[in-house]
Amino acid sequence: MALKYCQGSKCHTYHTKDRLKGMKGSKTYQTRRRSDFYYGNGNFCSMNCYNDWFNKFGDQAIDHFGRLTEPKKLTEQNAWQKTYDWDNRTDDRVYVYRNGITNEQRPLTEAQYNDTNYTLNER
Ligand SMILES: [Zn+2]
């Protein structure tokens, strides 16, 4: 498994034993390197490092990918969400589409529930 570095811009500045590398006399604190991380889509070793990155680059990233300048709106046309209830008699899952605006429910098969391309939402 390939090792990767935490993308935190200040990761090497946090003084923990696991970051301290090298021989006596030439020790350095270094960016953490692991096969996987738990934060920021597997890119950061901690929430601190995640926040450090965002504080430094977040505005640039938002401007690059498109800053919201007006509210997004959930409407009847795109408010369908897949969910399930339990059948009280059989203890089986009952899959449904529920509209978050109107609360209308429509039946859904398990295959439709698991199909990430299947939607009632208008695109
Ligand atoms: Zn880190």
Side-chain angles (χ1 to χ4, degrees):
M1 200 181 297
L3 295 176
K4 57 186 179 181
Y5 290 101
C6 169
Q7 296 302 301
S9 43
K10 295 188 205 168
C11 191
H12 63 292
T13 68
Y14 297 117
H15 295 183
T16 60
K17 277 188 177 172
D18 71 301
R19 287 179 172 100
L20 191 57
K21 309 280 184 188
M23 306 292 280
K24 194 173 183 182
S26 62
K27 286 185 182 294
T28 56
Y29 284 101
Q30 297 185 10
T31 300
R32 277 182 171 151
R33 189 178 188 209
R34 304 265 165 79
S35 59
D36 199 17
F37 296 115
Y38 294 111
Y39 303 95
N41 239 5
N43 288 300
F44 301 95
C45 73
S46 67
M47 279 306 291
N48 267 346
C49 284
Y50 190 19
N51 289 334
D52 288 342
W53 187 93
F54 195 88
N55 289 339
K56 188 168 184 183
F57 299 115
D59 282 334
Q60 284 174 256
I62 290 171
D63 286 335
H64 178 77
F65 293 108
R67 183 175 292 273
L68 287 184
T69 55
E70 55 188 46
K72 289 179 139 187
K73 293 175 181 170
L74 193 65
T75 65
E76 286 183 31
Q77 286 70 42
N78 62 10
W80 292 102
Q81 290 189 315
K82 293 175 180 179
T83 186
Y84 58 84
D85 285 325
W86 296 98
D87 185 315
N88 290 332
R89 290 162 296 146
T90 63
D91 269 357
D92 289 333
R93 280 186 182 184
V94 181
Y95 297 93
V96 294
Y97 247 121
R98 184 176 296 141
N99 190 295
I101 300 289
T102 63
N103 275 329
E104 182 188 348
Q105 284 193 45
R106 294 187 190 170
L108 199 59
T109 67
E110 185 172 355
Q112 289 168 333
Y113 180 87
N114 292 323
D115 179 353
T116 54
N117 290 316
Y118 183 82
T119 181
L120 294 177
N121 290 321
E122 294 176 9
R123 296 181 191 214

